[in-house]
């Protein structure tokens, strides 16, 4: 085991005690889960359509704090067919109250990934904790000029006039979400590659529109050599397995989001494929098991 802080490119990497990356392979596809950090957010946003006592009981059972929930923020780097694809980008510096997050740029460097090597970016949606990392100066200026940024056409359209009427977020957040999505569109308009239903970004790497969480929310499905992994973005939160019908305060269309969640979880329980979710605890490499009308989250075994 190597104990120095040198990245595998030979350049010295940032000195972090915890590297916060997890590597796996899906057939011929290389996958790296990178943690952007943790968003400390009110636990109440996890369940906006049930009694507080039900949420308290769920948190109690898992030894989790009742007030502030530690939302992991996972990002993927995927390599397939000569392309290097960043999937989502963390929160960057979009919101001042998340001191434990916004680490993507430093952790890409620690993983030996030069931002100039990224050929594509895929965005599950345009909330600030998914696009904010792309707005950080140190990263933006190092991306290549022919970068392709894939996002659903419905998502770009949604943010021209976003509907927050069904959301239930902490008050200061919606204006920052609007502002960050606007900044992102201004900064990346010329790199955007919009798709309607789905798009194959690289061999076995398909981004597919689901809607629900936002109008253009999408998931990314990896398939190679009989192996599969789905990056579910914000379609499945940590409560989504055993409480799939609970509405999340950040869902713009909570009823549709619950339908998307149940459909995805049912399908994934059938295939036995891997699931990585943005806001699950790092590294969020799990499988889904059906358990009556609900689901169980089964952590995958470490294979390196
Ligand atoms: Zn999110």
């Amino acid at each position: 085991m190597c104990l120095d802080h040198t990245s595998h490119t030979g350049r010295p990497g940032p000195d972090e005690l915890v590297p916060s990356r997890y590597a796996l392979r899906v057939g011929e596809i290389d996958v790296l889960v990178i943690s952007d950090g943790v968003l400390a957010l009110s636990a109440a946003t996890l369940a906006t359509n049930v009694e507080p006592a039900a949420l308290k009981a769920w948190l109690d059972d898992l030894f989790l704090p009742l007030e502030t929930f530690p939302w992991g923020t996972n990002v993927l780097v995927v390599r397939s067919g000569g392309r290097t694809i960043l999937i989502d980008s963390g929160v960057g510096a979009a919101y001042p109250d998340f001191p434990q997050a916004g680490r993507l740029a430093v952790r890409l460097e620690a993983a030996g990934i030069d931002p100039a090597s990224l050929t594509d970016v895929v965005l599950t949606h345009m909330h600030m904790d998914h696009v904010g990392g792309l707005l950080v100066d140190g990263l933006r200026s190092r991306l290549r000029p022919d970068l392709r940024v894939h996002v659903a056409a419905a998502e770009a359209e949604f943010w021209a006039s976003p509907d927050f009427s069904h959301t239930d977020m902490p008050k200061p957040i919606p204006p920052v979400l609007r502002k960050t999505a606007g900044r992102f569109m201004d900064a990346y308009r010329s790199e955007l590659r919009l798709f309607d239903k789905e798009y194959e970004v690289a061999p076995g790497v398909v981004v597919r529109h689901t809607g629900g969480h936002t109008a253009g929310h999408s998931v990314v499905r990896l398939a190679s050599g009989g192996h599969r992994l789905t990056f579910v973005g914000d379609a499945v939160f940590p409560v989504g397995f055993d409480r799939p019908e609970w509405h999340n305060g950040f869902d713009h269309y909570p009823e549709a989001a619950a339908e998307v969640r149940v459909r995805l979880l049912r399908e994934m329980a059938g295939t036995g494929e891997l699931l990585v979710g943005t806001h699950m605890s790092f590294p969020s490499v799990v499988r889904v098991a059906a358990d009556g009308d609900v689901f169980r989250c089964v952590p995958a075994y470490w294979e390196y």
Side-chain angles (χ1 to χ4, degrees), residues 195-269:
F195 63 90
D196 287 325
K197 287 201 172 74
E198 64 176 40
Y199 181 75
E200 185 165 20
V201 179
V205 181
V206 175
V207 57
R208 187 170 299 158
H209 175 250
T210 64
H213 182 64
T214 60
H217 183 276
S218 301
V219 299
V220 184
R221 312 207 77 163
L222 311 182
S224 170
H227 300 275
R228 292 169 64 154
L229 179 151
T230 296
F231 182 71
V232 296
D234 283 14
V236 182
F237 296 104
V239 287
F241 294 87
D242 51 356
R243 303 288 189 273
E245 308 290 346
W246 284 8
H247 291 174
N248 187 280
F250 292 89
D251 287 337
H252 291 258
Y253 306 99
E255 303 280 353
E259 284 168 25
V260 167
R261 177 159 49 247
V262 169
R263 182 160 42 78
L264 275 171
L265 290 172
R266 202 167 280 149
E267 184 188 336
M268 296 178 74

Side-chain angles (χ1 to χ4, degrees), residues 56-65 69 238-239 242:
K56 179 181 182 303
W58 184 85
L59 292 163
D60 263 349
D61 278 353
L62 293 171
F63 305 95
L64 287 165
F69 189 83
V239 287
D242 51 356

Side-chain angles (χ1 to χ4, degrees), residues 125 127 129-130 213 234 278-279:
H125 61 297
H127 275 163
D129 50 320
H130 301 255
H213 182 64
D234 283 14
T278 302
H279 297 300

